[in-house]
Amino acid sequence: MKKVLIAAAVMMAAGAQAQQINYTINGVSKDNGANVVVIDMQARQMKNGTVENGKFSISGTAEKNALLIVRNTKISWMMPIINDGTPVTVNLNDTTVTGSAQNERLVRYDVAMNAPYATLNAKKGLEKIFTDEVNTMIPVAFVEQYLEEFGVESLEKIMAKKPVWANHPSVKSAIEEYKQEQADRAKKAAYIGKQFTDLEEADTDGNMHKLSEYVGKGKWVLVDFWASWCGPCRAEMPNVVKAYEKYHAKGFDIVGLSFDNKKEPWVKAITDLKMPWVHLSDLKGWKTVASGIYGVNSIPDNLLVDPQGKIVARGLRAQGLHEKLKEIFGE
């Protein structure tokens, strides 16, 4: 499964009274000793099992039609299952499932669109699912992906026809999450085209520095918001280091603004991740001055500032960062 729906932290009272049914997920896997988890996306609960002699079995209770995710924690692939009351057997070796017709189709759709060897274009696959599966809960597993591809207005037009999944709690929470994310993106995008705002924080030796010492001084500067405790930040950092090494001599620099609370892990991460640029922090976590000034509510995040101090891009990650820098500096 490419992406996972993020269930709302608090469900409506009606949802809390929904019918609870038992599930049993048996499976096979070649990874003996691996931990397999079943995640209940509505209740935000997780059940664990261990692969022994090529098999595992996990049982629990969840709301009827809850979206469950089955995952071998050794790999990134995740298998979606609808808790429809029919026992399920999953094969994590070849990503197949035996169970209700609904779940068998669900997994086939997921593999066809999202596996590394995907055979179906994602947009076409989504259109087919949301057209053909009006009388099943299969679309629940793809709502977040649909929103990203087509937007909330398109989804709400489909929901107006009252498919059976329209009132599913995960659908409602996905729409709420999407609308909030869009609002956050709009707020962040509002900074693009504006002059950077100065701030002051300490370096790793405790000396105070203004951002204006490094930004707006004739270089392209990536102001990077990160923290030592942030897993996605650490995962992205080798990509940032690579960009720095490639373009620094051409006039590219980085200033790291950390959202850490403690000095020791902050400094250790700088060393461990081999980040040779300027680092500043007030060690106030999410209450850091940088968060308030630039509206940072999730990390990693960043601003690309031109030599005159104007913000020209935000949230550059992975290949997107390299493509933007290539556009500026060439190969």
Side-chain angles (χ1 to χ4, degrees), residues 56-121:
F56 65 90
S57 182
I58 302 174
S59 298
T61 302
E63 288 186 12
K64 183 178 181 181
N65 293 323
L67 176 62
L68 307 177
I69 303 298
V70 184
R71 182 186 174 192
N72 175 352
T73 57
K74 284 189 175 183
I75 59 177
S76 60
W77 188 261
M78 294 172 282
M79 181 180 291
I81 298 292
I82 298 296
N83 186 32
D84 57 14
T86 301
V88 175
T89 300
V90 300
N91 187 328
L92 297 184
N93 298 324
D94 62 9
T95 322
T96 58
V97 61
T98 301
S100 66
Q102 173 176 243
N103 276 321
E104 291 178 4
R105 289 203 309 281
L106 167 57
V107 172
R108 286 199 296 269
Y109 279 126
D110 192 51
V111 171
M113 292 193 302
N114 299 315
Y117 45 88
T119 59
L120 182 63
N121 175 275

